[in-house]
Amino acid sequence: MALRGADLFDASMKLVPLAFFVTLLVAPLASLLYTPLAAMIDQGLEALEGLTSYPFINRRPLGEFIIYAPGDPPKLIISFKDYGVIPNTLIAALIVASAATVIGTLVALIMARYSFPGREVLRIAAMVPLLYTPFVNAFVAYKLFGQGGILAELTGSLIGVEVSLQGLAGMILAQIFMFWPIVYINAFASMVQIDPSLEEQAENLGAKGLSLYRTVTIPLALPGIASGAALVFIFSMEDLAAPIAFDVENVVSIWIVREILAATDVSQISVETLILALMLAVSASIWFIVVRRYISLRQYATLQKGGWRGRRLRKPGPLLMVAIYLLVVPWIVVSASHQIGVLLYAFSEDWSGLLPRGFTLDNFSEVLSDERVVRAFRNSFLYASTAALIIAVVAVSSAYAVERLGGRLSPVIDVLSTIPLAMPGLAIALGILVLFGFTAARGTILDPFTNPGIYLVLAYAVRKSPFTTRAAFAGLKHLHKSLEEAAMSLGARRPRIVKDITIPLIAVNLAGGLLISFVYSVTEVSTSITLGGLNEDQSPVTYIVYDYLTGGYGGGRFIHLAASIVALLMGLQILAIAVVNIALKQRYAFIGV
Amino acid sequence: MTSVRLEGIVKRYGLFKALDGVSFEVRSGEIFTLLGPSGCGKTTTLRVVAGFEEPDEGRVYFDGEDVTELKPYERGTAMVFQNYALWPHMKVYDNVAYGLRIRRLPESEVRRRVKWALELVGLSGLEDRYPHQLSGGQQQRVALARALVVEPRVLLLDEPLSNLDAHLRLRMREELVSLQRKLGITTIYVTHDQEEALSISDRIAVMNRGRIEQIGTPEEVYNRPRTLFTATFIGRPTMVKGVISRLLGGGLAELRAGESTVLRGILMSGSEAQPGRPGVAVIKMENLHYPPEPGETNRVRGKVVVSMYLGWRVHIVVETDDGVRLSALVSPRNAPKPGSQVELSANVEDVLIYAQEPEV
């Protein structure tokens, strides 16, 4: 303990984040347990029997892995068997996380250690898939690999067989393309932080090439790789876009959303749905705790003392050079093309063939003249900015409590303030609905079925606070304690020090974090399309996108209209990232446990 | 003017005991230095005085008043940090004025006193600069002005000169002493630099492993180190390990190292120093003379194995036939060549003999 004292101010710095996260994160998730527990007390394990049969577990899986349809031209459709909601979700998450980990780590290794022509362009291109493009990118994936898509057209004309993906297989490939950059960015960040002398020492002792990476680089980067892999597993389980685009019904996320949107009262939500939401929350928590423990044991990648020298980038050998240009470059191009495809949809009249046709701005003018879309944008900005105000208070108090005050509660606050990053929004949304949708609240201003706006603000504040809290943490870590102690030694009390010294000196970090929290609140999906769909007057913009893509809103041009909204959201993200990087001169950390 | 007293201060971090029963008294108006190697607990002690660390045991008194429970901002101390801790978002003027504004002094009084403090440290005219626009020495002075302007009861200096280059360090050292003499503020100074400690202090406390080894004036600590640690930490000593062969009476003893090396000197240890027990003779390099001085009875013969030119002196290492090595500083005019046989002498009073503590 550096600064001592346990006055009212100290206590409130701890109580504010604790009360916030307990009310809006712990209690909602815990309330998911209530009905299943009551049912189990009443009926014993029989209450859970529904979960062991169709559609949750399919003992006789339906469908084929590969379907060959003769015709002119013949079709080869890669599919997947339907094992039921729970196995489908877990199998897909496992495949997506494994593939994303291998690809993300290899690309990170190449980017972090090799110098080759086009590296910088590729590095930027690899960031493009991190732009969040709710739902529409998955429809682009369908355009690329689905039936009648670009892959089918190309293979049809090249080898005479139209190859395409459908169902779960398509969903898995789409998710691999969507999520591998999350492993890449975390692995890359870990790799560039490794003290060059650690690798040089190994090289000095004779390690080279793969053995160097296997024995030193990858083990030291494992914290980043593991946290990326954990996030991908969770994101895959929670994803809605790819299952919607590839028309997959039997996965946990789709199941939960359908139940919430169909319910007019909490009592209509089934025990099975509550347990599926709990499953999401529990598996996310397990991953989170494993990765956190793991990381806390491995904070040794940077140990350089004395002068820092730049890292040497190697020249790839001929074999690796071929692999980079024939495999890595096309892979990144196809990944980025999901986002580019969003823009193509947004700016075109029609994209039914190989290439889009008819450049137009009409899609934008149509959505922006639609009262419903404008209201949704207004709602989203209002919710996100109110959430940002709440986040500012929570972030400063939790970062200060953990970094400066210490004590027994600080590890608890530390975990609570970071875990929302990994916690599936669907579980939080359902939890909030169950906790606050109780009978007494119905019909009042606090009724989530008629007034979901309030809960969207709170849900955004919880889910997106880690971006600001982590920025505040980083600011406080770099702010030498002596700057605050100097003020204390001159007679200033803690509230005054926080106001005069601490906040002004971490203001840039805070501003950057808040901007990112704000933007990700505007683009938030899980709670927006569930709670936000309960009363359309209060719907946020991502719900409208969802409605375009699933509800037939917008008629035949629905993808183009949805894409133009998402293109606006992409613009907002690029602007925010540019401000954070250029104006606030902060390194923008995208995501990480 | 305030006196400071620490009584039996214990500070633990988990199982590690950073301070193990530290007690001392700082007289009002003196410069009291805590000197010791890294990790000895000197900065922790200073932070206990400032109130940043709460001791697990023991009390802190200012002028006899128990301040152990007082918060840092209630103690009236002012600290100058090793890194200066200047607030980068405030100008020099606002940095210095901060403590006065906290005390709600009228702005006219704030202006008058900031002007006084900046004049005192020779920085008038730099009020509108930001810390990053100042040199290291100027930043150091701002930190000092910020501490002095609130007229603290006790001034706490944590290695304040360690970030300056050697030249500037010497100048700032002189300025610090003259400022302290002028203002007469009770000052506790932390450093690991023995020369700095010897030159500025009224008294020095030598610390090791969370304990105080010795408190005394610079002369006492330098010339009559009470423990083997102090003797080896301060000055440039040469150490001869051997066996205490005889107690000679009159506070003297004889130490034998190998077959032929015998040294007589002042016995510094108490009852644990018995004939036959291992001991160490400590001689400051400048007290081993070549050529030997007449009247000095300790004589050691050996071969010069190392000779290093330092400019004002030549540092030679002489090895006896028994393998005992001694370091001496000799005049460049008559420095012996490497390989030559020489005889060194030392006064009995300059050889300090300690019973060797068991290896830990």
Side-chain angles (χ1 to χ4, degrees):
Chain A
M1 191 194 76
L3 303 173
R4 73 194 179 90
D7 51 20
L8 198 65
F9 180 76
D10 292 10
S12 62
M13 291 301 254
K14 291 177 184 175
L15 279 177
V16 165
L18 265 183
F20 178 76
F21 288 113
V22 166
T23 316
L24 294 165
L25 186 71
V26 180
L29 293 176
S31 69
L32 293 174
L33 268 172
Y34 176 76
T35 312
L37 277 181
M40 279 169 71
I41 289 165
D42 203 27
Q43 306 162 35
L45 281 178
E46 271 174 40
L48 304 181
E49 227 159 50
L51 279 173
T52 61
S53 54
Y54 190 82
F56 299 106
I57 293 177
N58 206 348
R59 285 164 205 277
R60 264 172 292 171
L62 304 167
E64 296 296 332
F65 282 106
I66 292 179
I67 302 164
Y68 183 76
D72 185 31
K75 290 183 173 136
L76 185 75
I77 301 166
I78 302 166
S79 186
F80 214 87
K81 290 194 177 186
D82 178 7
Y83 294 89
V85 171
I86 297 173
N88 284 350
T89 307
L90 292 176
I91 291 169
L94 210 59
I95 296 175
V96 172
S98 311
T101 304
V102 172
I103 297 164
T105 307
L106 286 178
V107 176
L109 204 52
I110 288 168
M111 296 293 196
R113 293 295 179 265
Y114 291 95
S115 143
F116 51 89
R119 174 175 174 267
E120 281 307 304
V121 177
L122 212 56
R123 226 164 59 81
I124 294 166
M127 308 284 279
V128 170
L130 293 171
L131 283 176
Y132 201 56
T133 48
F135 299 110
V136 181
N137 57 335
F139 279 76
V140 177
Y142 190 83
K143 178 78 203 166
L144 291 171
F145 313 113
Q147 289 188 48
I150 291 171
L151 179 69
E153 293 242 2
L154 287 177
T155 50
S157 57
L158 287 175
I159 56 170
V161 181
E162 286 190 355
V163 180
S164 62
L165 283 83
Q166 73 171 19
L168 215 50
M171 180 193 104
I172 288 171
L173 186 65
Q175 288 185 345
I176 293 172
F177 274 112
M178 280 156 73
F179 297 139
W180 75 268
I182 293 173
V183 179
Y184 158 71
I185 197 116
N186 280 287
F188 183 83
S190 280
M191 284 175 192
V192 296
Q193 275 170 18
I194 295 173
D195 185 336
S197 67
L198 293 173
E199 284 182 1
E200 284 169 0
Q201 178 68 81
E203 282 180 87
N204 185 239
L205 295 171
K208 60 178 181 183
L210 283 181
S211 81
L212 172 66
Y213 299 140
R214 188 176 47 78
T215 54
V216 179
T217 315
I218 291 179
L220 288 175
L222 260 183
I225 297 170
S227 59
L231 280 172
V232 171
F233 188 90
I234 297 160
F235 287 0
S236 162
M237 285 202 300
E238 171 176 61
D239 177 47
L240 286 159
I244 290 172
F246 283 86
D247 205 14
V248 177
E249 297 266 315
N250 282 347
V251 284
V252 169
S253 54
I254 295 286
W255 187 271
I256 294 175
V257 170
R258 297 260 157 94
E259 279 258 319
I260 293 179
L261 290 181
T264 53
D265 192 274
V266 174
S267 62
Q268 292 170 356
I269 292 167
S270 67
V271 170
E272 287 83 6
T273 305
L274 293 169
I275 289 180
L276 291 181
L278 275 170
M279 192 185 100
L280 289 182
V282 169
S283 45
S285 309
I286 291 172
W287 275 112
F288 180 86
I289 289 163
V290 168
V291 171
R292 286 281 291 216
R293 276 199 76 89
Y294 192 71
I295 286 180
S296 66
L297 294 175
R298 284 178 171 261
Q299 289 292 5
Y300 49 56
T302 311
L303 45 75
Q304 173 119 4
K305 286 187 176 149
W308 176 275
R309 281 161 302 107
R311 180 182 302 284
R312 290 175 296 132
L313 289 177
R314 300 167 180 79
K315 288 240 176 304
L319 211 64
L320 184 59
M321 200 68 129
V322 170
I324 289 173
Y325 289 112
L326 286 188
L327 296 174
V328 178
V329 170
W331 177 265
I332 292 177
V333 168
V334 175
S335 300
S337 69
H338 288 69
Q339 272 62 27
I340 295 163
V342 172
L343 298 179
L344 293 179
Y345 268 124
F347 287 101
S348 69
E349 287 172 358
D350 173 59
W351 192 7
S352 49
L354 196 61
L355 294 172
R357 282 187 298 114
F359 175 84
T360 180
L361 293 175
D362 288 353
N363 300 321
F364 289 94
S365 57
E366 184 170 336
V367 293
L368 289 178
S369 58
D370 182 342
E371 173 56 29
R372 190 168 171 244
V373 176
V374 174
R375 188 178 57 219
F377 263 111
R378 217 169 30 226
N379 286 341
S380 281
F381 285 138
L382 175 69
Y383 301 156
S385 39
T386 317
L389 289 178
I390 300 174
I391 289 171
V393 175
V394 172
V396 169
S397 52
S398 27
Y400 198 85
V402 174
E403 274 294 318
R404 290 292 190 263
L405 300 177
R408 261 183 236 157
L409 287 174
S410 91
V412 179
I413 297 171
D414 191 14
V415 167
L416 283 177
S417 63
T418 321
I419 202 167
L421 210 54
M423 193 52 73
L426 290 176
I428 296 176
L430 190 55
I432 284 179
L433 203 58
V434 171
L435 183 67
F436 297 101
F438 54 91
T439 322
R442 296 307 305 271
T444 70
I445 194 174
L446 292 177
D447 183 351
F449 286 91
T450 53
N451 241 345
I454 301 169
Y455 296 97
L456 282 175
V457 168
L458 296 174
Y460 292 169
V462 172
R463 292 203 72 203
K464 306 304 174 188
S465 62
F467 295 103
T468 309
T469 309
R470 284 155 54 98
F473 267 121
L476 276 181
K477 262 198 174 45
H478 288 120
L479 183 66
H480 202 284
K481 269 184 206 162
S482 60
L483 290 168
E484 288 159 84
E485 287 172 350
M488 189 170 274
S489 117
L490 293 173
R493 284 157 195 266
R494 193 164 267 147
R496 179 85 191 252
I497 296 170
V498 170
K499 175 174 115 0
D500 287 350
I501 312 289
T502 317
I503 290 182
L505 290 177
I506 63 167
V508 174
N509 300 69
L510 270 182
L514 282 171
L515 196 55
I516 297 298
S517 290
F518 172 83
V519 169
Y520 285 140
S521 295
V522 172
T523 55
E524 201 267 0
V525 165
S526 311
T527 52
S528 303
I529 64 159
T530 45
L531 299 179
L534 295 173
N535 176 357
E536 293 209 349
D537 287 341
Q538 298 186 10
S539 291
V541 70
T542 43
Y543 177 79
I544 302 296
V545 175
Y546 171 78
D547 201 28
Y548 268 117
L549 295 173
T550 59
Y553 190 71
R557 283 173 45 228
F558 69 96
I559 298 187
H560 296 269
L561 297 176
S564 63
I565 298 179
V566 172
L568 294 173
L569 296 179
M570 282 170 82
L572 188 69
Q573 290 172 69
I574 292 169
L575 187 70
I577 292 167
V579 169
V580 171
N581 276 309
I582 298 164
L584 302 179
K585 291 198 169 42
Q586 282 187 47
R587 279 185 52 200
Y588 161 62
F590 174 72
I591 238 165
V593 172
Chain B
M1 300 253 269
T2 304
S3 66
V4 177
R5 194 167 87 246
L6 270 69
E7 278 183 9
I9 299 292
V10 173
K11 177 72 193 170
R12 294 183 198 89
Y13 296 105
L15 291 176
F16 174 67
K17 223 176 196 180
L19 297 180
D20 188 5
V22 169
S23 302
F24 58 78
E25 176 153 13
V26 183
R27 295 169 199 143
S28 79
E30 76 173 338
I31 300 186
F32 186 87
T33 297
L34 299 168
L35 172 69
S38 304
C40 71
K42 52 193 190 299
T43 293
T44 307
T45 308
L46 194 74
R47 292 171 63 84
V48 166
V49 177
F52 294 132
E53 306 286 347
E54 205 169 358
D56 295 310
E57 289 168 36
R59 314 301 297 174
V60 181
Y61 299 92
F62 287 2
D63 279 341
E65 172 204 356
D66 188 344
V67 298
T68 320
E69 306 297 329
L70 289 189
K71 306 219 161 155
Y73 46 78
E74 294 163 337
R75 295 197 180 191
T77 62
M79 183 142 160
V80 175
F81 291 81
Q82 189 173 2
N83 62 358
Y84 316 141
L86 298 182
W87 299 307
H89 60 308
M90 294 185 196
K91 291 179 176 172
V92 166
Y93 181 91
D94 297 311
N95 262 284
V96 178
Y98 189 83
L100 302 173
R101 288 178 176 152
I102 290 290
R103 286 163 176 72
R104 297 179 193 284
L105 264 68
E107 203 54 33
S108 57
E109 177 68 5
V110 171
R111 259 199 307 279
R112 192 185 66 73
R113 283 172 63 171
V114 171
K115 187 165 175 285
W116 167 82
L118 288 175
E119 269 170 16
L120 197 66
V121 298
L123 283 186
S124 300
L126 298 186
E127 289 84 349
D128 286 334
R129 298 261 184 102
Y130 281 99
H132 69 269
Q133 297 169 314
L134 303 176
S135 70
Q138 289 170 329
Q139 291 180 0
Q140 214 282 332
R141 287 164 213 244
V142 176
L144 194 61
R146 186 176 66 182
L148 292 174
V149 78
V150 297
E151 297 176 358
R153 297 174 75 184
V154 184
L155 181 63
L156 306 173
L157 304 168
D158 185 8
E159 308 228 12
L161 306 181
S162 65
N163 282 342
L164 302 177
D165 63 50
H167 202 69
L168 198 54
R169 194 152 59 220
L170 276 178
R171 218 177 74 208
M172 283 307 295
R173 192 198 284 174
E174 293 162 16
E175 287 186 20
L176 251 177
V177 174
S178 72
L179 257 177
Q180 196 274 344
R181 296 284 178 248
K182 191 150 96 185
L183 301 171
I185 299 175
T186 308
T187 301
I188 306 182
Y189 192 103
V190 161
T191 182
H192 66 271
D193 180 336
Q194 45 164 308
E195 196 182 301
E196 199 169 289
L198 292 169
S199 61
I200 65 160
S201 313
D202 292 310
R203 286 187 309 141
I204 295 172
V206 180
M207 291 189 73
N208 180 34
R209 292 185 188 164
R211 290 166 177 269
I212 297 218
E213 294 271 336
Q214 181 172 357
I215 298 176
T217 63
E219 294 78 10
E220 285 166 351
V221 171
Y222 188 82
N223 292 324
R224 286 290 173 266
R226 272 212 298 273
T227 64
L228 183 57
F229 172 81
T230 310
T232 51
F233 184 71
I234 301 231
R236 298 158 182 243
T238 193
M239 282 162 56
V240 179
K241 287 188 181 180
V243 171
I244 296 171
S245 48
R246 275 201 293 165
L247 300 181
L248 300 172
L252 299 182
E254 186 180 272
L255 179 121
R256 183 175 286 274
E259 287 295 311
S260 55
T261 310
V262 176
L263 291 165
R264 290 182 172 193
I266 298 172
L267 181 63
M268 299 302 293
S269 303
S271 58
E272 69 275 22
Q274 293 297 328
R277 298 280 282 272
V280 182
V282 179
I283 316 162
K284 297 251 179 332
M285 271 160 64
E286 66 270 26
N287 290 334
L288 268 171
H289 298 126
Y290 173 85
E293 299 217 343
E296 293 189 338
T297 51
N298 283 308
R299 300 279 165 141
V300 181
R301 288 190 62 80
K303 192 168 78 174
V304 178
V305 289
V306 176
S307 168
M308 290 180 286
Y309 181 69
L310 304 178
W312 63 292
R313 276 285 186 256
V314 176
H315 175 183
I316 59 166
V317 179
V318 173
E319 188 173 306
T320 67
D321 292 345
D322 317 319
V324 173
R325 285 180 159 225
L326 299 116
S327 286
L329 293 173
V330 301
S331 158
R333 278 204 301 278
N334 47 20
K337 295 258 179 309
S340 54
Q341 287 286 333
V342 294
E343 186 177 53
L344 302 174
S345 72
N347 195 339
V348 172
E349 292 204 337
D350 293 331
V351 176
L352 306 176
I353 295 176
Y354 300 84
Q356 197 174 8
E357 290 157 16
E359 298 282 337
V360 180

